[in-house]
Amino acid sequence: MSRNDTVNICNLQFLGRHNTSVQSSSERQLLFNRIAPAYDNLNDLLSLGQHRIWKRMTVSWSGVKKGDCVLDLCCGSGDLAFLLSEKVGLEGKVTGLDFSKEQLLIASTRQDSFYKPCYRNIIWVEGDALDLPFPDSHFDAVTMGYGLRNVVDRHKAMEEMFRVLKPGSRVSILDFNKSTNAFTTLIQEWMIDNVVVPVASSYGLAKEYAYLKSSINNFSTGKELEKLAKEVGFPKAKHYEIGGGLMGNLVATR
């Protein structure tokens, strides 16, 4: 399969990929296609570049190694997929999945523009995270960046990740942290209101990012994510707070 081949697979990515007024998959797909051209610039501006550190941590927690076959679910413009590619090397294989054609086009363009030999091991595919067309126990690791918070059915998404992972392998999921600390929540909401939305508005994307606060409020806490992982069959699950408690990473072992 070439990197331009598509299969029906994924669903979403970073700095808020959900709008409470956007209910259907087709509406969400249009929303994320609109965000795509400014997506990488906004990630850098809004996190002051820190998202690159968090993503490296996510890849490290996945336990991926040279020669592995890995899946980056909800890959967006490809940050995690590129990091995974460097880890698995030419002997391995990376599948980057997203339901936004525009995001996948940008990922493919980036793959060509800052080309490294190992990037030949990446293929880009399009589809639904809740219905992965892969056999059971197929991947050595799965990563997901800023997607679980926004899928329609988190339980189903976790079930699918569990199903396609090999026994003993890990899923590593990065997202905003729904903190149980009132001060951290206050800081998080202040940053969204006074930094995220104003910066996004300069790109004409204020409405697309204004939903971020409610999407975090509707997300699960770290303990709830650990419980969810265990409910679908993961025997081990641990949620780590990072970025001063503003972000979180769930690591679960099949």
Side-chain angles (χ1 to χ4, degrees):
M1 181 184 291
S2 73
R3 67 170 180 250
N4 293 319
D5 288 336
T6 58
V7 184
N8 288 328
I9 311 167
C10 178
N11 217 324
L12 328 170
Q13 217 227 4
F14 187 38
L15 271 181
R17 282 247 194 146
H18 172 75
N19 191 319
T20 53
S21 66
V22 181
Q23 299 298 327
S24 72
S25 294
S26 60
E27 287 176 317
R28 293 183 183 185
Q29 199 165 18
L30 289 172
L31 172 65
F32 304 147
N33 283 340
R34 290 199 303 271
I35 291 174
Y39 190 67
D40 290 320
N41 286 339
L42 279 170
N43 285 352
D44 281 327
L45 285 170
L46 295 173
S47 72
L48 300 177
Q50 294 298 297
H51 74 99
R52 300 185 185 279
I53 297 173
W54 304 328
K55 288 171 181 174
R56 288 187 180 278
M57 295 171 71
T58 299
V59 169
S60 179
W61 269 316
S62 75
V64 65
K65 60 187 183 300
K66 190 172 292 293
D68 279 352
C69 175
V70 300
L71 170 65
D72 179 28
L73 187 58
C74 307
C75 68
S77 58
D79 281 355
L80 284 172
F82 293 128
L83 293 173
L84 290 167
S85 172
E86 294 170 7
K87 286 285 188 179
V88 304
L90 288 172
E91 302 90 341
K93 179 180 178 182
V94 178
T95 302
L97 302 134
D98 201 281
F99 77 161
S100 169
K101 291 182 180 179
E102 293 300 322
Q103 289 279 14
L104 292 172
L105 178 60
I106 291 172
S108 180
T109 301
R110 294 177 76 201
Q111 182 179 17
D112 292 333
S113 64
F114 49 83
Y115 181 78
K116 293 184 179 180
C118 63
Y119 292 169
R120 292 200 302 269
N121 64 18
I122 308 174
I123 59 171
W124 309 105
V125 296
E126 177 190 356
D128 182 6
L130 306 183
D131 186 20
L132 301 177
F134 298 116
D136 297 353
S137 305
H138 185 70
F139 293 103
D140 296 296
V142 174
T143 60
M144 189 180 203
Y146 301 97
L148 186 62
R149 173 171 44 89
N150 304 299
V151 293
V152 175
D153 187 338
R154 292 175 199 142
H155 191 277
K156 178 61 175 174
M158 289 296 299
E159 282 184 334
E160 281 292 275
M161 285 183 265
F162 178 84
R163 181 182 65 80
V164 301
L165 268 174
K166 294 178 181 178
S169 298
R170 299 179 201 162
V171 60
S172 182
I173 302 173
L174 172 67
D175 214 313
F176 282 90
N177 179 44
K178 182 179 180 181
S179 179
T180 56
N181 183 294
F183 181 71
T184 300
T185 300
L186 181 64
I187 294 297
Q188 194 174 57
E189 293 184 348
W190 183 91
M191 290 182 67
I192 292 169
D193 291 338
N194 295 279
V195 179
V196 174
V197 174
V199 171
S201 67
S202 68
Y203 286 79
L205 296 171
K207 291 183 179 179
E208 286 79 357
Y209 280 79
Y211 62 83
L212 186 55
K213 184 160 59 177
S214 62
S215 78
I216 296 171
N217 289 336
N218 292 326
F219 195 34
S220 304
T221 65
K223 291 297 182 183
E224 290 169 341
L225 290 173
E226 291 175 354
K227 180 181 178 182
L228 172 61
K230 291 177 180 178
E231 285 176 351
V232 304
F234 288 98
K236 297 180 182 179
K238 176 68 175 177
H239 183 268
Y240 299 92
E241 292 192 355
I242 57 178
L246 299 177
M247 302 292 152
N249 202 105
L250 175 68
V251 181
T253 304
R254 189 189 192 290

